[in-house]
Amino acid sequence: MRVVEVYVEHPVFEINQTYSYICEFPCQVGQRVSVPFGPQQSIVGLIHSIHEREDVTGLKRVLKVLDEEVLLNTELFALAKYMEESTVAPYMACIQAMLPTVLKPKTTNAKVVTISYIVLGDVPEALTLKQAECVKYVREHEKVLSSELRKLYSVTATLLKKGVLKVIEEEKKTHTSYVTPYQEPVLTQEQMECIQRVEETSGFEPFLLHGVTGSGKTEVYLQLAKRTLEQGKEVLLLVPEISLTPQMVERVKGRFGDTVAIYHSHLNNQEKYEQYQRVRRKEVKIVVGTRSSIFLPFENLGLIILDEEHDKSYKQESSPRYHTRDIALWRARYHDCPLLMASATPSFESYARALKGVYTLLHISKRIFTNMPTVRFVDMKEELRKGNPNLVSIELKEKMRDALDKEQQVIILLNRRGYAPVMECKKCHEVIKCPHCDIALSYHKEENAMKCHYCDYKAPYIKVCPSCGHEKFNFSGHGIQQLEEELKQLFPEKKILRMDRDTTSRKGQHQQLIQHFADHQADILIGTQMIAKGLDFESVSVVGIIQADMGFHRPDFRAVEDAYQFLSQACGRSGRKEIQGQVIIQTYDDSHYAYQYIRNHDYPHFFAHEMKYRHHGNYPPYCYLASILVQDKKQERAMEEAFAIEAYLKEQQIQGKLYPVAELFKIQDQYRYRIIVKMKDEEGLRKVLLQVVQEFKGNRKSRVGIFVDINPVNV
């Protein structure tokens, strides 16, 4: 009797194993099946293996095979196993992360959208005049939309009943749009040297390209992609955020036409499915996508490119907590092809590996068109002494006016959504907080609403303090809507665009805003961190950065690195073509050591300076770090479990450092506690974390949420 081993759809450690079922249907490894499980009459599972067994006593039967084809090839099954081990996550969580929603082994209402067409069936000789006209029409068009034919000919239903016509279902396809051809420019010497060095590799080799902003890294990608496609192989080009996708897609399609697949989070379920199938069916050879596109079913990868490799959005923040860079390294090694990681501000982990020779380090030190922008710092304490309480300094205002008078464009960054981040009662000083999180609600003036930026809770603006009944509030801090309001007063005749999460929540808004600014339909673009990197606007001469100090003061050992990357990338949006760029950074402490390196565009010396602190504190990349997050809706239960895990780890006498339980603020009604573990041995760290999961989820049957994150990007 044929028996299949099935992983069921629930991605939890308690059932992280296969279950045996009798299968009387034709089936293959990698197909989804419907199976009974416990008290549930039917859930979805994935066939992991098939074998013959004589004794099948007590085994339940597969109810249905859900797929005609296998969903995962041998490589992706092996990748799922690697992810399970490297991220300490349930195997099914890894499988589900790889597939678009309509193909996930999961009970869902999401289905493939199909379109009904009518084609010829068995056509008899004897037909009425109207029936003959209908048949002729279908014969001439081969297939006709069902809805269209029914409108044209009332006899359609009769012909379908008789079998003269029949209905076929075809998957809906998205129409592609025309893209302006993107011409090949003349390469610089440094670009040619980078291309040549990557081409010299005969198999797997990881490269780190450290190229300053505006140095032509994208053209290096396109040239290498062209050569890879000429060899009949596939190319994956990863970008970190949806905001970077439109310009990159335009350039890739402009060079390679419509044989390019696009894959990112703003596609709907049907569009993701379609792009996935285009890759699987080998209809495209090159893909531009964000994090999840790393799992697309390539079979002959010849090149993987990780643009802006330092970006934190490459890290998945829910189970399985993988880093795209690690998956890219695994797949490049599997396909025996080069991996090109690139950034103007590489992550410390990558740059350290490149200096050690683990990655091959490549350099582009000069911009293509102009010198690097000049950077000036404005002391906002001095602005206050001059009687200027506004967000925009006098110097920045003058630079903006001068640029706008020359019909140049300006970008202003303030990395904070809303109008004001805190609402406080003037009488009792009660801060209005989210009812689900221990976080202050931000005031959004354009909607006259209060929003939580963690759980997306939204409430109308309240006029009375819920604690004391007072009717007036203080608005503390400054958000980007307040900046927009001020700029409209300063430059009433200029068109201003705002780009943040609130203005780009709907599909296509990223692309629309970027295109409007690129077409010079606006003079000033203001935005949060999403406009700080990767975007290329040739008419931008001035970049202003408001409240630049914010990032330096976070309680995170990566705070200075992150702030440097944000500010340096923001500086890079200025003067990217023939216009010399100018950057004004507004700060309340211009003595911070990172600023001198930002002014001089000197990443290598900043890296060396900051690494001294990392070494002194024994932080990555000098060690490996993991977070164990314990959370539950009942605070006492979460706290008890966190202290129990801490006690268990102390008993194990791990070869590393164990930080005590720390209470974090509540999010989405979940009380959270965290334990940090540091070790020199990454494999040893994984074993310790696996022991914790097995002990508390397996042996002790813990009912609280326990989440493991190896090498977290936020601490």
Side-chain angles (χ1 to χ4, degrees):
M1 184 72 72
R2 184 194 299 123
V3 172
V4 294
E5 299 297 326
V6 174
Y7 276 98
V8 294
E9 64 178 82
H10 304 300
V12 292
F13 282 108
E14 289 85 342
I15 53 173
N16 189 36
Q17 65 181 68
T18 59
Y19 293 87
S20 302
Y21 290 89
I22 300 167
C23 187
E24 299 171 320
F25 308 101
C27 61
Q28 300 178 68
V29 171
Q31 288 179 317
R32 290 176 299 174
V33 289
S34 176
V35 294
F37 187 78
Q40 296 172 290
Q41 291 184 350
S42 172
I43 65 172
V44 179
L46 187 78
I47 299 177
H48 185 259
S49 62
I50 303 173
H51 56 91
E52 295 291 327
R53 188 194 296 183
E54 291 185 7
D55 183 9
V56 292
T57 306
L59 294 189
K60 297 179 180 180
R61 297 176 185 272
V62 170
L63 303 174
K64 186 179 181 181
V65 177
L66 301 177
D67 302 300
E68 294 181 2
E69 301 172 317
V70 297
L71 299 182
L72 298 173
N73 57 27
T74 303
E75 179 204 357
L76 294 180
F77 266 116
L79 176 56
K81 192 64 180 175
Y82 161 77
M83 289 172 63
E84 178 190 27
E85 294 170 354
S86 63
T87 66
V88 191
Y91 186 78
M92 181 50 76
C94 302
I95 292 291
Q96 290 180 351
M98 294 181 173
L99 293 164
T101 301
V102 298
L103 295 179
K104 289 183 190 295
K106 187 176 182 180
T107 302
T108 175
N109 292 325
K111 290 182 171 56
V112 177
V113 179
T114 59
I115 298 176
S116 298
Y117 290 94
I118 292 178
V119 297
L120 292 180
D122 298 322
V123 182
E125 293 185 8
L127 293 171
T128 68
L129 183 60
K130 283 288 186 182
Q131 290 174 341
E133 287 179 6
C134 181
V135 168
K136 180 183 178 184
Y137 186 84
V138 175
R139 183 179 284 117
E140 289 174 349
H141 293 82
E142 293 187 4
K143 65 178 182 182
V144 183
L145 277 171
S146 176
S147 57
E148 176 188 334
L149 194 67
R150 291 173 191 271
K151 288 179 182 178
L152 290 173
Y153 297 98
S154 59
V155 295
T156 302
T158 302
L159 292 174
L160 286 169
K161 285 180 182 178
K162 292 181 176 181
V164 178
L165 301 178
K166 60 183 181 181
V167 176
I168 61 170
E169 299 289 333
E170 291 189 3
E171 293 174 3
K172 182 181 178 181
K173 293 188 177 180
T174 306
H175 297 291
T176 56
S177 57
Y178 174 77
V179 177
T180 305
Y182 183 62
Q183 301 300 324
E184 293 188 21
V186 177
L187 298 174
T188 66
Q189 183 63 33
E190 287 183 314
Q191 285 176 314
M192 289 190 289
E193 289 172 358
C194 289
I195 293 167
Q196 183 179 354
R197 178 61 188 85
V198 176
E199 285 186 315
E200 286 173 358
T201 185
S202 58
F204 168 70
E205 186 173 352
F207 294 90
L208 178 64
L209 171 55
H210 176 215
V212 299
T213 57
S215 61
K217 295 186 289 295
T218 299
E219 187 57 38
V220 172
Y221 308 159
L222 296 177
Q223 292 288 339
L224 288 170
K226 177 184 176 183
R227 290 159 170 75
T228 304
L229 296 177
E230 288 171 350
Q231 299 169 14
K233 295 185 176 182
E234 299 159 325
V235 176
L236 172 59
L237 201 170
L238 291 147
V239 293
E241 290 192 47
I242 177 66
S243 62
L244 301 187
T245 308
Q247 282 197 335
M248 185 64 78
V249 168
E250 182 179 3
R251 292 180 178 183
V252 176
K253 281 193 170 184
R255 188 67 57 84
F256 301 109
D258 282 328
T259 58
V260 178
I262 314 301
Y263 202 85
H264 56 73
S265 60
H266 274 215
L267 299 180
N268 61 37
N269 289 340
Q270 178 64 22
E271 289 168 332
K272 285 183 179 179
Y273 169 78
E274 181 186 333
Q275 299 301 311
Y276 186 92
Q277 293 291 41
R278 291 181 74 199
V279 175
R280 193 180 65 79
R281 294 167 182 160
K282 300 182 177 61
E283 295 173 3
V284 294
K285 291 288 187 179
I286 184 167
V287 175
V288 179
T290 51
R291 183 177 61 227
S292 58
S293 60
I294 190 62
F295 299 117
L296 288 171
F298 298 101
E299 292 190 0
N300 190 23
L301 267 174
L303 174 67
I304 302 175
I305 300 166
L306 200 66
D307 187 35
E308 307 290 359
E309 72 84 31
H310 68 277
D311 198 279
K312 285 189 172 185
S313 60
Y314 280 128
K315 180 67 186 278
Q316 171 77 9
E317 294 292 344
S318 59
S319 184
R321 290 170 170 80
Y322 65 89
H323 197 295
T324 309
R325 179 176 56 234
D326 297 330
I327 308 301
L329 282 162
W330 191 94
R331 295 202 76 178
R333 188 177 285 110
Y334 184 93
H335 287 272
D336 198 27
C337 73
L339 165 64
L340 178 63
M341 299 166 280
S343 175
T345 54
S347 66
F348 276 25
E349 287 81 358
S350 293
Y351 199 70
R353 286 173 184 154
L355 292 179
K356 285 185 176 181
V358 178
Y359 303 158
T360 301
L361 185 59
L362 306 174
H363 292 283
I364 304 181
S365 60
K366 295 178 182 177
R367 282 189 155 190
I368 294 176
F369 293 99
T370 61
N371 296 323
M372 296 298 289
T374 58
V375 180
R376 288 183 53 80
F377 295 89
V378 174
D379 185 348
M380 295 305 289
K381 296 193 299 291
E382 186 64 30
E383 288 287 309
L384 290 172
R385 283 191 286 269
K386 291 178 182 178
N388 178 24
N390 298 322
L391 279 168
V392 178
S393 65
I394 296 169
E395 182 172 355
L396 177 55
K397 182 171 64 176
E398 290 172 351
K399 295 289 186 186
M400 291 177 67
R401 192 171 299 283
D402 183 57
L404 295 170
D405 287 345
K406 295 175 183 176
E407 297 187 348
Q408 296 167 0
Q409 291 175 295
V410 174
I411 290 178
I412 307 293
L413 292 103
L414 174 55
N415 197 25
R416 182 172 277 160
R417 288 171 58 202
Y419 188 86
V422 177
M423 283 178 57
E424 179 186 70
C425 175
K426 280 191 174 183
K427 184 178 180 181
C428 72
H429 302 289
E430 176 81 9
V431 172
I432 309 303
K433 289 187 175 182
C434 173
H436 307 290
C437 308
D438 286 333
I439 299 292
L441 290 173
S442 294
Y443 177 56
H444 286 241
K445 188 174 182 179
E446 63 182 18
E447 300 174 63
N448 198 31
M450 304 177 299
K451 291 184 179 181
C452 176
H453 293 171
Y454 283 82
C455 73
D456 291 328
Y457 170 81
K458 180 180 176 181
Y461 171 68
I462 57 173
K463 296 181 180 180
V464 177
C465 174
S467 294
C468 71
H470 193 64
E471 296 183 356
K472 291 187 178 180
F473 293 93
N474 283 323
F475 294 102
S476 302
H478 306 284
I480 196 165
Q481 292 177 7
Q482 201 169 149
L483 173 64
E484 181 180 25
E485 186 176 87
E486 184 174 312
L487 289 173
K488 285 180 177 178
Q489 292 172 356
L490 290 172
F491 304 100
E493 74 285 1
K494 299 300 180 183
K495 173 70 173 174
I496 300 173
L497 293 178
R498 192 181 91 235
M499 192 166 173
D500 58 17
R501 185 180 165 192
D502 299 298
T503 62
T504 57
S505 58
R506 292 196 300 273
K507 184 177 176 181
Q509 286 182 309
H510 283 99
Q511 185 170 358
Q512 184 181 39
L513 286 169
I514 290 170
Q515 194 60 53
H516 281 179
F517 195 64
D519 293 342
H520 217 134
Q521 295 179 36
D523 306 290
I524 303 169
L525 175 65
I526 64 172
T528 54
Q529 54 83 26
M530 66 169 59
I531 67 167
K533 55 186 173 292
L535 299 176
D536 188 0
F537 303 112
E538 61 182 36
S539 297
V540 172
S541 61
V542 172
V543 166
I545 305 171
I546 312 297
Q547 296 183 352
D549 307 303
M550 283 194 298
F552 289 114
H553 305 306
R554 291 186 300 110
D556 189 323
F557 73 90
R558 288 194 180 92
V560 178
E561 177 189 0
D562 294 344
Y564 178 91
Q565 289 169 340
F566 169 72
L567 295 172
S568 293
Q569 291 283 346
C571 291
R573 299 318 101 209
S574 173
R576 295 179 66 88
K577 291 296 187 287
E578 287 81 3
I579 304 170
Q580 177 60 43
Q582 301 178 80
V583 180
I584 304 297
I585 297 179
Q586 297 185 177
T587 172
Y588 286 93
D589 179 17
D590 59 2
S591 64
H592 196 287
Y593 64 87
Y595 284 143
Q596 63 176 307
Y597 301 114
I598 293 169
R599 177 186 284 113
N600 298 323
H601 309 285
D602 189 358
Y603 173 85
H605 283 95
F606 167 71
F607 171 83
H609 189 140
E610 184 67 15
M611 283 288 277
K612 293 176 184 177
Y613 298 115
R614 298 283 182 93
H615 185 264
H616 183 73
N618 190 31
Y619 282 109
Y622 291 102
C623 73
Y624 296 99
L625 186 147
S627 162
I628 303 172
L629 183 68
V630 181
Q631 67 179 41
D632 195 88
K633 288 193 173 184
K634 293 185 177 179
Q635 185 173 17
E636 186 177 336
R637 193 158 63 185
M639 183 171 60
E640 287 179 356
E641 199 75 335
F643 281 108
I645 292 173
E646 181 188 30
Y648 173 79
L649 287 169
K650 286 179 178 177
E651 291 172 5
Q652 303 306 305
Q653 297 182 333
I654 61 173
Q655 299 299 308
K657 185 168 183 177
L658 174 65
Y659 287 81
V661 173
E663 182 179 0
L664 306 180
F665 53 81
K666 180 179 69 174
I667 291 182
Q668 292 182 313
D669 297 314
Q670 295 283 333
Y671 292 93
R672 306 182 305 144
Y673 293 84
R674 186 179 65 191
I675 302 166
I676 296 290
V677 184
K678 286 199 299 192
M679 294 179 68
K680 289 286 187 182
D681 177 19
E682 188 176 20
E683 192 56 40
L685 180 60
R686 286 197 180 97
K687 288 179 180 177
V688 167
L689 297 172
L690 183 59
Q691 286 174 4
V692 169
V693 170
Q694 289 173 339
E695 174 66 22
F696 284 83
K697 284 298 184 183
N699 299 338
R700 303 191 191 186
K701 309 295 183 187
S702 175
R703 294 163 57 199
V704 308
I706 300 174
F707 305 98
V708 169
D709 191 355
I710 300 173
N711 299 320
V713 294
N714 294 304
V715 178

